[in-house]
Amino acid sequence: MEQVSENRCFGGRQLRFKHESSSTNIPMHFSVFLPSSAETAKVPALFWLSGLTCTDENFVQKAGAQRYAEEFGMALIAPDTSPRGESVADDPDGGWDFGLGAGFYVDATEAPFAANYQMYSYISRELPELIKNHFPVDPRRFSISGHSMGGHGALTIAIKHPKLFRSVSAFAPICAPSQCPWGQKALTGYLGSDQATWREYDTCALVTDRGCDFQLLVDQGSSDQFLLEQLQPDLLQKACLDAEVDLTLRIRDGYDHSYFYIASFIGEHIRFHAESI
Ligand SMILES: N[C@@H](CCC(=O)N[C@@H](CS)C(=O)NCC(=O)O)C(=O)O
């Protein structure tokens, strides 16, 4: 593992690393914020999964989360959203909603994507193990959150790994990828056209199929340009009601899909995770 940058921030340290991933078979970057309290004790860690077109750096540079992470003594772990490199397959049509920057946190089974697009294994196995082994964090106090495609990743991974991630929240998540254009394109490309295999990567389907015995905190701007066509929190609300899953859905009047919205509420989410674990 190689450290590529370090910046002091709100009394803590913002770090960036590059490492060879055994899941994606390609070097990956990730960012880590360590609060000052990590100098003397193991701290809880919040994993943040970003949305379409993002790298590990969008959240780090735009959300202003470090201020709250320092206040609550929490590390922030921000991975990239896909494998990257000359040899990595991309959207053949050049779209920004599939391929590079759009790994959808699934393990691809379809060629040519299966060779590198193993983001589910990377986030749910390899990265937590790496973080636990190299940083002053308490692995019994890991939480997960994310935005849009990353909100989908956070919810699906938390539902499937409740012992690893002890609390979950999401900003403007893609709630039912099997039922929206972004998700249908990605799941077809990565997993093929047999929709039975998609259910493992669809929050609404997972809630229906498996239930979930912890709270889901979901935040959504009412003026989000992707709300109706892509995000569909109403479907999650219905699935949670039917399965008796504890969903807290916070609608934020007039907020859009951008990091201006995330920056406005990230403090509340960090407090929620700090108090939940
Ligand atoms: N690239 C698209 C928008 C994609 C988009 O909104 N991505 C969100 C996540 S779904 C994001 O976080 N973008 C990066 C940023 O705002 O820094 C466009 O330009 O219209």
Side-chain angles (χ1 to χ4, degrees), residues 67-142:
R67 171 183 183 158
Y68 305 103
E70 173 65 19
E71 184 184 335
F72 290 99
M74 186 171 264
L76 300 173
I77 317 296
D80 205 345
T81 57
S82 78
R84 293 178 197 274
E86 294 277 298
S87 62
V88 176
D90 196 5
D91 186 344
D93 301 325
W96 51 264
D97 53 2
F98 180 69
L100 300 182
F104 263 85
Y105 307 102
V106 305
D107 282 347
T109 51
E110 292 293 293
F113 302 100
N116 303 108
Y117 286 80
Q118 301 292 321
M119 291 300 289
Y120 173 71
S121 290
Y122 180 67
I123 302 294
S124 64
R125 280 194 280 278
E126 184 177 356
L127 190 62
E129 198 61 23
L130 184 93
I131 296 299
K132 182 178 93 178
N133 292 336
H134 290 88
F135 297 93
V137 294
D138 178 352
R140 292 164 306 177
R141 291 188 292 159
F142 282 179

Side-chain angles (χ1 to χ4, degrees), residues 50-55 58-59 62 96 147-150 172 174 182 225-226 231 257-260 262:
S50 289
L52 294 166
T53 74
C54 289
T55 69
N58 297 65
F59 174 70
K62 291 181 163 182
W96 51 264
H147 174 224
S148 196
M149 173 185 74
I174 301 170
W182 279 344
Q225 61 271 41
F226 301 118
L231 306 175
H257 195 67
S258 71
Y259 267 91
F260 293 109
I262 296 170

